[in-house]
Structures are given as structure tokens and as C-alpha cells.
Amino acid sequence: MSEPDDARLRRRSLLGALAGTGTAALAGCPAGGGDATPTSTGDDDPGTDAPPTETPDADRARELAERFAPALTYDAAERWFPTDPRQYTSERDGETVVDGFAAFDGYTATFEESGEPPAPTVFYNVVEYAESPLAVVQFWYYSAFDQFTTNFHWHDWEVLHVFVDTDSGDPQLLVASSHSPRVPNNEFLDPDPDRVPRILSELGSHSSALSLNDRLNSFQRLPLEDLPADITNRAVGVIEALAELPAAYGLPRDEGLRLPYVVPELDGAPIYEHDDLSAVTRESLVPEALTVRSFDDLSEPPSDLPARETGVVFGHDGRSAVDADVTYDLVPTSEVENIAEFTGPQLNFEFAVPEFAENAIASHITTAGTPWDQERYADPAADITEPAHRAALADQYDAIDPPGPINDVIATVSQVTQSPDAPDGEGVTTAETAVEAIALLRSDPVAAPTFRGVSMFRGVESGSHRLTVNAPGLAPHDEPVEVGNGGSGTDATATATATATATATPTDGSASRTTTLAGVDGDIPLVANEAATKLEVDADGAEAELTEVAVDDDFGGRVYWAPLDGPDAVYVHRDGAYTAEVRDVDDAIGAFRVNPSDTAPVRIDRPRTGKASLASFVASITNETADQLAAIGSDGDEEDDDGNASAPTDARPGATGKTNVLGGLLRAMEAVSGAAERAAERADRGDRQGTDRALEALAANLQRAVERFDGLRDTLPERAAASADRRFRQAQRRTNQAIASEKL
């Protein structure tokens, strides 16, 4: 499904913002918490302890909780509504625990029997910052189970923080919990004090989006006409243009994108087949229309997933119950703080990793913890993920520290398709995806979904990481990522490398943010499973120590770049025509032509660098181009509707007129190929002078061939001419590199 123009992410503007100098307002902030467990802010410790907080008396806390009690809106396909975990407690080793089997099975049985959400409950906790008029009302809601896309667990605690000025009585900031500590929360600064906070709970995962404008029960990321946005998060790339994408998870199924859900498994079987879950059936999970068994089962991204549809609305007696279908009890968290642990066997989700020898599977675990053991429980400011919001509170309240330095890892995710400008099977391009992806820093225990096609990890430790991206129906991607520079705060701009880094210093000098762009200039192109071929590069045993590998398509440009240390692999589209390039520690270059035609992996063994490698490449691409041009003269007479047909009959080899020009071009290309092969042979023999003479002849022959092609190109089919032009330019580039190379 396509998105409206005013709400589409434009990759160029995103990356331009990242590379610009106006990124000061995106300085990072200490940020802990998330769906389950608090995390550190990376290697950038703010250097201070959490500010002291106090608990107001019970009556005052209750008054604040009732005033700001939110409305909770759920998807029509939702299965696990907010409930009271106390009904599932048991004793274990002298402690009160909630067992995952007991909660999941018991909740399901009660729901099936009554047809009503069991024991609808929202818990509240109120803290006041010492010697400050700032208080925070936390609303915690518990679900017995979480089912998302490759990310599910027993027990699920979500939270809404309402920061309140106790002098004025007005709310200052709303912070709704997102998927993980690494994904920016959905936040709103200076909300309308007369408007009930409204949460849109994501199906299955219960990630909390905000719905605060007059368009109820929908999420609006950007302002539209007279409607303000539902969040005030700043843009991913900080520029003044209002159309930039706010850095927040949002609600994908309400924004035109899709993400299928996966059936959880336990001990190798679907969870509903487990003996301890007698009440749980397939119908107890997210409906089949939204579910797949695995991303790899899909040949291409799904296009028919149902859009989000509003189901029931939960509210508390009072303001939030005005349009509620279900009324929830409002209970202080102090009544459940005796629960020591929420238990259950670990549930795994699988990540496909494109490795050289095989597709390895990385099992990963998502666990839940008790809210009262988390940093954000006593210090809610730890859950503010938007630096501009934290800075605004710090400016007004001494109890809140300003944002501190932080590292972000960012990339957009696109899909590779056949280029309409290239002949069939000879070029690709990239387009926006219609589905969200799941990204995983393999050093981190929590996967992060993309939002509007953007993968963003906030608060990543400096150092070496590996980023893996899986998307439904698309082949996986994996690459090394070097993150951060220790938060030095020096100005820099992003450059065209896979792990380009931009560092910004705020105008007040208080903090800095380092942004690392993954992929190629911040873009990770993915290929549909049905069109994917693995390209393997085996650097083991190579004569030189190789340092990096890149893959470029004739039409689509660069589709992969990564540091190289041993074997590497990337999935490419079978309709592409690629040049794989390697570099070694001496900055010598090697190039290899890759034309995949089926699903069998393409392997480059022990790639070489230097004159021999580059000359061999020129011979290969010249022969490939000559074959393409010769085929034009031997096919039909007219160009078809796709622009792929042959030149006129009188342009065929052996005929007169234009054909003589084509024949002359082909003979010139034979000379190019011969000179390239001689240069490669002499380089292999260690004959430097002979190699250089052959390369000089190659350059002269290639120039003559290009001139003949320029005189003929207007008589060729448009796509074939475009393809040949790109290959001639590639041959000239590699010839110049071979001449300049110090290495044979």
C-alpha cells in the first residue's frame, strides 16, 4: 500500500539532514527502560546519580492518578488486554511469583468462558522529585502474553509517564513506552491539560502510541492541515523543515506499512501445542490473516495484510470512561510490589544471518522484569528518549539533568527491484518497502522494529558491532558496524561509507551525539527471497590482507559495502549486473564481474588486487558488452513496447551502412579485450614493463571503442545503449585504476 505524499519518508532528505551541521538539538540523553528491562546509555555515563524522588501520600497519589487516567484503545484483533496478575500468583521458595504458563493459560480460559476481558486493571505509581514542583504519574498495564513478529514473551508491562507541574497542576510531558530501550518512545511535550491521555496499543506487542489530536483512535506522525501531530519528537535528521520524519516508533499498521506476526514456538513446536497450555489454541493467538510461521517462508513481502482496525476502548470511571467499552480498575502498584518475579521458560525467535558457508540462525531472547526493579520506576526521567524533551524539562526543573552524549545507529531499509531503465536481467534499482523490518544488534538482547522504513538504535556503546536485518519475504542482511568516537563532540559530516559517522555539538555545549550510518550511505537494500542469490567472497588464502568489499550494480549503484576480515556474504538480486570490488591494506583494488542467473551462490575465491585483477575485469566486461551488442544485430527488426528489441536489419554485421559501424565497434572491442588479457598475463608473470605497455594499449583501444560506440548509440535500443554506456564507463574506470596501481 502506498503512503500519502505528505507522510512519506524521503531518504535523501533524511540522509541530508544527518550529514548537515544543524544536528545540535538531537544531542543524546540518558535513557533507560523499554518494554522489559532498563539499559545503560551506552559508554556515555552522565556522571551523576539519579535525582532523589519521593512518594506522595496515598490520597494525593490517587487524586493525580484519577485525573490523568488514560483511555487505552486496542486493535480489533487483540488477544491480551490489561489485567491483574495477582490472580495468577503462586509461592516458590518463599517468594510470590507469577508463572507464565499459569497466567497465559488462566487468562485464556477465563476469557473464553466469559467472553469479556478478565479483570481489566491499570496500576499507577506516583513519584515527586525532591525539592521540585515536578511529579510523575506512571500508569503500568500488564498483559499475560506478548506476540509480535519474532519477538514475544510471557508477561508484558507497558507504561505511560505523565510529568506534571504540581504548582500549576498542568501536565508537562507524556512518554509512552515503545518496543525496546533502543527505539525512541512516543512522546508529547506540553500536552493540553483538558485532554485525556489516549494510548493506542499495538496489536500483540502492546507498544504504546499516542492519539492526542481530534482524530481519535488513530496515530498521526506529522501535522496535517489543522491537525497537530500526535507526537512532538524531533526529526531523525535535525533540519527545520516540518516534513522530516519524527524519531519515534509510532504505529506501523496505522501508517500504511505492514509487518506480519510470527507464531511463537516452545521446544520446537507451536506454543499452543504445549501440555501446560490446555486452554490455549491457535485461535488464542493473533489471527492467521496476520501471521506467518517464519519470514523465510515468504517468497516476497506480503501485500494483503489487513490494516489496523480499532476494537475496544478501556477507560477509568471519570474522564477517560466517556467513550469506553470496558471500565478498568485503577490500583496502586504498591499492592503488587510483593511479586518478586514473573517467570516462564525462555521463548526464542530466529534471525537468519547471511554467512559465507550457510544461513546461520541466531536465537535471541526477550524477557520481562518487574516494573519496581527498573530504573525508570523511581526515576521516570530515565525513560525520556527524546533529547529535546529532556532539555526542555531540564531548563524548567533543576531536578532533571540535561541530555548527555549518546551514540545512534541509523539506516533506512529499501527493497531491490529490477530497473525499468535496464534490459531484462541487467540492472536493478531500489524502492521504499511496503513492510517494516526487524533489526538486531547482535551485541544487544533486544530486537528493534523499523518505523516508516527507518532502523534506529539509540544509546549504543562505542565499539564494534554486527547489525542484522530481517524482513518478511526478504533475504536477510548482516554487516559489521563501527560505532561512535567516544562522544568527542567535534563537528563532522557523514561520508559515503557503510559506517559513516556524523558528530554534532549542541549550541549550549552540554552534550554531543554521534550518528553512525549503517548500510550504504545509510541505506540497506534488501532482496525478495524469490529473486535472491547469495554472493560470497572468500578472503581466506588471499595473497594480500583485504580490508573491505563493495558491490555495485550497473544501474542501481552501490548495494553493499563492508569491512572485510575473512569470508563475507551478501544477497543480491538475480536481475542485476554487478561489479564486486575489494581493497587491501595497501589500498590496492581488485574488481570482479558478477552476473547471477539462478539461485546458486556466486563465489569469489581468494580475490586478488592490483593490475592483473583489474585488467582481467576489463577483459570480462568488454566481452560481456560485445556479446550484448552482437545479439542486437542478430534479433528482430523492431523495438518492442519494452524497448528491448533489436536494431534495424541494415545494422546487422555483414550488411551495409549502420551495420558497418556496429561491426567496426565489435572489432575495436576485440582489440580491447585482447590488450586487457595480455596485461593480465604479463602482470601474472611479474613483467611490470610489459604490463604497463599492454595497459597503455588497452587505454588507447578502449578510447577508440568508446568513440565508435558514441557514434552508434542513437541507432541502438535505448535500454541496450544505456547498459553498454555504463559498462564502457566501468571499463575505463578500471583501466585507469590498473594504470595507477603500484601492485601487479
Side-chain angles (χ1 to χ4, degrees):
M1 177 182 293
S2 62
E3 301 173 70
D5 290 341
D6 62 350
R8 295 172 72 94
L9 166 64
R10 291 177 174 84
R11 186 172 298 104
R12 288 184 179 177
S13 59
L14 163 66
L15 297 176
L18 288 171
T21 58
T23 55
L26 261 187
C29 59
D35 268 356
T37 56
T39 65
S40 71
T41 61
D43 59 326
D44 303 307
D45 193 328
T48 59
D49 295 330
T53 55
E54 305 167 344
T55 302
D57 64 71
D59 290 341
R60 174 62 175 157
R62 183 75 187 188
E63 177 186 351
L64 287 170
E66 289 183 345
R67 179 185 171 191
F68 296 106
L72 306 175
T73 298
Y74 287 87
D75 194 287
E78 182 58 60
R79 296 294 187 260
W80 303 285
F81 298 103
T83 191
D84 190 336
R86 290 176 293 180
Q87 56 195 317
Y88 310 117
T89 57
S90 59
E91 297 299 314
R92 188 189 68 181
D93 299 328
E95 291 184 329
T96 301
V97 301
V98 177
D99 177 73
F101 286 112
F104 190 12
D105 200 59
Y107 179 89
T108 302
T110 303
F111 201 169
E112 289 294 325
E113 180 179 350
S114 67
E116 301 290 337
T121 308
V122 171
F123 297 90
Y124 68 89
N125 178 50
V126 181
V127 296
E128 295 178 331
Y129 285 93
E131 301 180 1
S132 172
L134 185 65
V136 184
V137 189
Q138 298 178 330
F139 296 95
W140 294 88
Y141 19 105
Y142 166 85
S143 298
F145 196 73
D146 177 308
Q147 180 188 352
F148 189 47
T149 62
T150 68
N151 182 355
F152 26 78
H153 51 83
W154 314 100
H155 322 294
D156 188 32
W157 283 101
E158 302 294 338
V159 63
L160 167 68
H161 307 278
V162 182
F163 289 77
V164 182
D165 186 300
T166 55
D167 286 345
S168 67
D170 291 338
Q172 304 300 301
L173 176 68
L174 303 180
V175 176
S177 60
S178 186
H179 264 281
S180 82
R182 300 301 191 203
V183 181
N185 289 324
N186 297 285
E187 303 178 9
F188 197 101
L189 186 68
D190 194 22
D192 183 348
D194 296 324
R195 189 176 292 272
V196 174
R198 198 174 196 89
I199 294 295
L200 305 183
S201 181
E202 184 175 33
L203 171 64
S205 79
H206 313 122
S207 174
S208 300
L210 293 170
S211 180
L212 302 177
N213 60 28
D214 289 335
R215 185 178 292 175
L216 298 180
N217 300 328
S218 69
F219 175 76
Q220 188 171 317
R221 184 180 293 271
L222 296 166
L224 179 63
E225 297 177 350
D226 295 332
L227 286 174
D230 285 317
I231 52 175
T232 55
N233 297 55
R234 297 294 297 271
V236 175
V238 178
I239 61 174
E240 295 182 359
L242 296 177
E244 288 303 323
L245 187 79
Y249 177 66
L251 197 62
R253 292 183 64 238
D254 214 29
E255 298 185 75
L257 292 180
R258 302 288 185 267
L259 190 57
Y261 290 67
V262 178
V263 176
E265 292 189 358
L266 183 60
D267 300 330
I271 196 169
Y272 51 80
E273 294 181 2
H274 199 279
D275 291 340
D276 292 335
L277 295 172
S278 58
V280 177
T281 66
R282 176 63 188 84
E283 288 67 33
S284 305
L285 305 180
V286 171
E288 292 187 67
L290 286 158
T291 309
V292 298
R293 289 303 300 270
S294 76
F295 285 179
D296 290 339
D297 287 344
L298 301 171
S299 62
E300 60 182 353
S303 58
D304 57 350
L305 297 174
R308 178 185 173 275
E309 182 181 348
T310 297
V312 297
V313 177
F314 284 61
H316 179 62
D317 283 338
R319 293 196 308 159
S320 66
V322 173
D323 62 342
D325 304 298
V326 177
T327 301
Y328 62 75
D329 290 334
L330 196 57
V331 178
T333 55
S334 58
E335 296 190 15
V336 288
E337 288 181 3
N338 65 308
I339 299 175
E341 190 176 359
F342 291 82
T343 69
Q346 303 292 4
L347 296 170
N348 295 339
F349 61 87
E350 296 180 338
F351 255 74
V353 181
E355 295 185 344
F356 175 74
E358 61 182 350
N359 282 333
I361 300 298
S363 295
H364 226 65
I365 298 169
T366 303
T367 59
T370 55
W372 32 97
D373 289 331
Q374 299 179 26
E375 176 189 11
R376 57 181 174 169
Y377 188 74
D379 177 21
D383 218 16
I384 302 174
T385 58
E386 171 50 61
H389 294 164
R390 187 180 186 102
L393 289 187
D395 185 59
Q396 187 171 355
Y397 304 99
D398 292 338
I400 303 300
D401 289 330
I406 204 167
N407 297 327
D408 287 348
V409 176
I410 297 176
T412 59
V413 177
S414 61
Q415 182 175 343
V416 182
T417 61
Q418 182 177 359
S419 172
D421 299 324
D424 290 344
E426 297 182 18
V428 299
T429 186
T430 58
E432 294 180 354
T433 63
V435 294
E436 298 287 11
I438 303 293
L440 177 69
L441 280 178
R442 290 161 69 181
S443 56
D444 199 341
V446 180
T450 59
F451 55 89
R452 298 296 289 274
V454 175
S455 172
M456 182 173 189
F457 289 88
R458 174 152 287 174
V460 180
E461 293 184 0
S462 293
S464 299
H465 299 263
R466 289 203 72 89
L467 174 66
T468 301
V469 179
N470 281 196
L474 298 171
H477 173 91
D478 185 73
E479 67 173 75
V481 177
E482 290 295 325
V483 176
N485 61 0
S488 65
T490 58
D491 288 333
T493 57
T495 56
T497 67
T499 54
T501 300
T503 307
T505 304
T507 53
D508 62 3
S510 63
S512 64
R513 171 194 183 229
T514 300
T515 297
T516 298
L517 302 183
V520 178
D521 292 341
D523 181 44
I524 296 176
L526 301 179
V527 184
N529 286 327
E530 65 180 4
T533 293
K534 188 191 294 184
L535 171 58
E536 302 170 339
V537 179
D538 187 359
D540 289 345
E543 295 177 359
E545 182 182 349
L546 303 180
T547 58
E548 62 183 64
V549 59
V551 181
D552 296 89
D553 175 75
D554 288 353
F555 283 79
R558 182 149 294 181
V559 295
Y560 184 70
W561 185 101
L564 187 62
D565 182 15
D568 195 14
V570 60
Y571 281 101
V572 295
H573 197 290
R574 288 199 298 277
D575 285 332
Y578 303 99
T579 298
E581 177 186 286
V582 296
R583 288 178 182 263
D584 63 24
V585 290
D586 297 321
D587 208 31
I589 299 170
F592 310 86
R593 193 62 174 165
V594 178
N595 290 286
S597 59
D598 54 32
T599 59
V602 177
R603 177 174 295 186
I604 301 173
D605 287 314
R606 295 190 294 266
R608 300 175 58 188
T609 55
K611 294 179 185 290
S613 171
L614 293 165
S616 294
F617 172 85
V618 174
S620 176
I621 199 170
T622 300
N623 289 333
E624 178 185 334
T625 309
D627 289 342
Q628 178 201 51
L629 293 175
I632 291 175
S634 62
D635 292 337
D637 293 339
E638 300 297 333
E639 183 173 296
D640 63 22
D641 291 339
D642 293 327
N644 288 319
S646 65
T649 301
D650 65 356
R652 297 176 184 173
T656 60
K658 296 176 183 176
T659 298
N660 290 334
V661 181
L662 178 56
L665 172 59
L666 295 178
R667 288 190 294 274
M669 295 178 72
E670 288 181 8
V672 171
S673 179
E677 290 170 354
R678 286 191 295 274
E681 291 169 359
R682 292 170 184 176
D684 284 335
R685 294 200 304 264
D687 180 0
R688 181 174 295 276
Q689 289 184 346
T691 300
D692 289 342
R693 286 196 301 270
L695 287 174
E696 290 174 3
L698 167 59
N701 290 339
L702 183 54
Q703 180 60 36
R704 284 192 290 269
V706 169
E707 291 171 357
R708 287 181 177 271
F709 169 73
D710 287 340
L712 178 67
R713 64 181 303 161
D714 289 343
T715 69
L716 299 174
E718 183 177 350
R719 295 179 187 177
S723 179
D725 177 71
R726 284 164 168 79
R727 292 174 183 172
F728 275 121
R729 281 185 280 162
Q730 183 76 256
Q732 287 181 308
R733 177 187 175 204
R734 300 303 174 178
T735 297
N736 292 335
Q737 289 175 339
I739 292 171
S741 177
E742 295 293 329
K743 182 177 180 180
L744 287 174

